[in-house]
Amino acid sequence: MEVTVKENEFVVLSISEVSSSLSTSFSKSEPVFARFGSGSGAPELRFGQESQSGADIVINLRASQLFRLGSAESLCISEVFEDNKETGYSRGISIQFKNEEESRAFHCAFEQWKTEMVVQGSPLPNGAVSTSTSKFDEKIEASSAKMYFHYYGQLLHQQNMLQDFVRTGTYYAAVIENRADFLGRVVVDVGAGSGILSLFAAQAGAKHVYAIEASEMAEYAKKLIAGNPLLNERITVIKGKVEEVELPVKADILISEPMGTLLVNERMLESYVIARDRFLVPNGKMFPAVGRIHMAPFSDEYLYMEIANKAIFWQQQSYFGVDLTPLQRSAYEGYFSQPVVDAFDPRLLVAPAISHVINFTSIKEEDLYEIEIPLKFACSVSTRIHGLACWFDVLFNGSTVPRWLTTAPGAPTTHWYQLRCVLSQPLYVMPGQEITGHFRLVAHKAQSYTIYLTLSATVGDMLQTSSGKLDLKEPYYRMSQPQAYSSAQEPNQLLQTQDVLTQSWVEDGLVPVQQPSPNHGAELHSL
Ligand SMILES: C[S@@+](CC[C@H](N)C(=O)[O-])C[C@H]1O[C@@H](n2cnc3c(N)ncnc32)[C@H](O)[C@@H]1O
């Protein structure tokens, strides 16, 4: 397939106006160019001939629609403006392409130019900023989306993900080991970033890859792909949101890395599911196809004290003569509302984990708005429970070799680390005792979730219940602060050993530095 969609210019066999013939102004012996651009500040399509400068026909893309009349013939209906005002009538231009492929590529470029300009919020003819009504824009606050795509538009953050070799290496292995799933297939890379997964898919023999990326990273992806000559002919980068762009063909397989902290942070899984419904052929493959959130209660006295002690500052009754105690309770609650992101030793877990499965191939997008997980654990030791530890994994269900990417404690650390929800009120439990509760995730407009956690245990006749409300968008990134655990709390020593080890490897240059990312995390969350 030719990659004409990347270009802003097409050569068509002929054009003719539906109401009056254009043959007088356009010579039949010379090709007609159709050029997309934004010369007037709005997206436009210009038809013309090199020898006839000044006789171009200019169409306002935002006020136009394109219809297919045949495999190589289309009709463009466009509103007519005079002095920047709508006249209330339309013109129709019939376009004859060289072949069906040219026609498809043209349609793709038409929608892309229209969408890109709207996405970037350029002024409409009347001076207002376009209010696009895609599903993404309906759900997500504009300020959150702006920061989000600004973050991903920077190479250093893409590098951070690329340098997570557990992540990127697992994707590479999953694609290459399952090349039979990619060979000769049309692939869509959902949220392509630097384009790395598109390049993997092309390496595995994909017929064509559409790399969709909403941030400015799309421009870098084009550059990276152009610099890989054996692969670039089979990859088309499309800048825009997967909720908004149009593709010329359906995809046989989707590839994406939409996972955030706790799997669901960033709400990109919803875009992955929307892409499935918009682009994937029935029963097409998804890489990954399944995600699981794993949860288990943990005991970590040191972490609990660390969080509780953060609010001590507000106990002062005379801070430069000011009594800070009225805010003590709020500060205390504030610290416990932050999920903790770090790598912990699995021996801190006090019961076997349970899991919640999300099947990307069948889940409805709306089902990700609110996720309710009933909790039930059998405790194996006598201890104080300080909260719920969580991690996730995803499955690449390849036809040759199924492969899991895991972020479990004890497994090689990824830039997602693990997540712990710490309760301000610990629970006392005995071996064999049942712990029940709820873990409820409610999506919010800032591309994240509010977490509601309740754990209960009965000691004798007494029911203990502890609850917390946490904001997944505001985690406490703890992994870069190794703690000196006391020997009184033996299992925790190992937790820190892992961090310290990782740190020394980093210093020795033996492992790449992994920084949290919004997805991933830190910087975005703090913006
Ligand atoms: C976690 S990064 C993964 C990048 C790349 N696929 C990789 O594996 O290195 C997710 C990317 O998806 C993009 N993205 C998120 N939501 C999107 C949407 N609705 N439409 C298009 N791109 C989106 C982000 O800008 C970001 O570059």
Side-chain angles (χ1 to χ4, degrees), residues 448-525:
S448 192
Y449 284 81
T450 306
I451 302 173
Y452 298 90
L453 170 65
T454 300
L455 288 179
S456 303
T458 311
V459 180
D461 295 341
M462 208 178 70
L463 174 73
Q464 312 163 71
T465 293
S466 185
S467 298
K469 179 181 169 191
L470 303 96
D471 187 355
L472 187 55
K473 180 103 179 178
E474 300 287 341
Y476 163 35
Y477 291 98
R478 184 173 181 252
M479 61 277 144
S480 56
Q481 301 176 18
Q483 305 289 331
Y485 278 91
S486 73
S487 55
Q489 199 194 358
E490 213 188 69
N492 290 330
Q493 286 176 327
L494 278 146
L495 178 152
Q496 292 314 314
T497 312
Q498 187 170 349
D499 276 348
V500 171
L501 259 181
T502 312
Q503 190 58 36
S504 70
W505 290 340
V506 168
E507 280 157 12
D508 293 341
L510 294 176
V511 292
V513 183
Q514 282 172 11
Q515 294 180 0
S517 62
N519 194 356
H520 312 279
E523 293 95 315
L524 184 79
H525 117 88

Side-chain angles (χ1 to χ4, degrees), residues 55-183:
D56 295 356
I57 298 172
V58 183
I59 303 292
N60 179 338
L61 279 179
R62 264 198 298 254
S64 306
Q65 278 185 286
L66 192 61
F67 301 93
R68 248 189 204 106
L69 298 182
S71 61
E73 189 184 359
S74 296
L75 178 66
C76 177
I77 303 283
S78 177
E79 273 179 43
V80 177
F81 289 84
E82 268 168 24
D83 299 329
N84 264 347
K85 285 197 195 109
E86 285 180 32
T87 56
Y89 54 91
S90 307
R91 80 195 307 181
I93 296 171
S94 155
I95 311 162
Q96 193 66 50
F97 299 98
K98 281 187 238 160
N99 52 40
E100 187 170 356
E101 253 175 358
E102 279 279 290
S103 157
R104 282 183 190 282
F106 182 87
H107 274 254
C108 190
F110 186 96
E111 293 305 329
Q112 195 187 336
W113 271 90
K114 210 169 147 167
T115 319
E116 265 190 33
M117 295 301 290
V118 173
V119 170
Q120 288 162 9
S122 59
L124 293 171
N126 64 7
V129 170
S130 165
T131 51
S132 165
T133 51
S134 80
K135 210 153 197 192
F136 185 97
D137 294 348
E138 281 165 16
K139 293 185 307 193
I140 303 300
E141 265 166 20
S143 57
S144 170
K146 192 174 171 193
M147 282 189 288
Y148 180 76
F149 290 121
H150 175 74
Y151 176 94
Y152 277 124
Q154 296 170 57
L155 272 178
L156 78 137
H157 299 304
Q158 298 286 338
Q159 180 181 337
N160 185 40
M161 291 182 287
L162 296 177
Q163 283 187 315
D164 178 345
F165 286 128
V166 176
R167 179 202 88 115
T168 311
T170 307
Y171 267 87
Y172 181 75
V175 172
I176 299 302
E177 288 169 352
N178 291 295
R179 58 173 75 238
D181 293 325
F182 290 85
L183 199 65

Side-chain angles (χ1 to χ4, degrees), residues 136 148-153 157-159 161-162 167-168 171 189-198 200 212-218 238-245 255-260 266-272 274 415-416 447 517-520:
F136 185 97
Y148 180 76
F149 290 121
H150 175 74
Y151 176 94
Y152 277 124
H157 299 304
Q158 298 286 338
Q159 180 181 337
M161 291 182 287
L162 296 177
R167 179 202 88 115
T168 311
Y171 267 87
D189 181 354
V190 179
S194 62
I196 190 75
L197 303 183
S198 299
F200 289 174
I212 308 176
E213 171 58 42
S215 76
E216 290 302 314
M217 189 49 53
I238 299 176
K239 183 168 176 240
K241 295 189 190 111
V242 293
E243 290 82 355
E244 294 164 11
V245 302
I255 190 163
S256 185
E257 197 273 74
M259 298 91 76
E266 292 181 56
R267 300 187 63 182
M268 194 184 156
L269 282 182
E270 293 163 41
S271 300
Y272 191 33
I274 288 173
H415 73 298
W416 288 285
Q447 289 167 284
S517 62
N519 194 356
H520 312 279

